Amino acid sequence: MSLNPLLDPFVETGYLGYSLRGIAHRRPDATYQPSLQIRNYRCSFGGRLYDGKFRDLFFDPESAIEHALGKGRQIVDDHVERRIRNS
C-alpha cells in the first residue's frame, strides 16, 4: 500500500506495543478511503501484523482515519487475545 504524505493525511499511534497508522487516501471523487498498517515494534525488525485498505468511503479524512484506527485496535485486541489463549 502506498502513502503519499503530501496528499493522504495519516495518524500514527501506539497501542499495546503495536504501531497503528491510519491513512485517509484521497480519491478523485473527493472522498477518502481508509487504510491501515500495523507494525510490531517489540520485534527488532518491526514486523507487519496488518497492511490493507477498507472498502468504506468517507467525506472527510478524520472519519476515515478514525475508522481505520478503530479497526486496528480491534485487530490488535484479537491478536493479543489469541496469543494469551495459546500460551
Side-chain angles (χ1 to χ4, degrees), residues 48-60:
R48 285 192 184 179
L49 176 64
Y50 184 89
D51 188 1
K53 284 187 177 181
F54 300 103
R55 292 182 180 184
D56 309 292
L57 298 177
F58 296 88
F59 291 108
D60 62 293

Side-chain angles (χ1 to χ4, degrees), residues 15 19 24 29 46 51-54 62 68:
Y15 183 70
S19 171
D29 63 358
D51 188 1
K53 284 187 177 181
F54 300 103
E62 293 85 7

Side-chain angles (χ1 to χ4, degrees), residues 48-83:
R48 285 192 184 179
L49 176 64
Y50 184 89
D51 188 1
K53 284 187 177 181
F54 300 103
R55 292 182 180 184
D56 309 292
L57 298 177
F58 296 88
F59 291 108
D60 62 293
E62 293 85 7
S63 295
I65 290 170
E66 187 56 39
H67 178 76
L69 293 177
K71 292 285 191 179
R73 288 186 292 271
Q74 185 178 27
I75 291 168
V76 170
D77 287 343
D78 293 344
H79 178 72
V80 168
E81 185 178 314
R82 277 192 308 273
R83 287 183 61 209

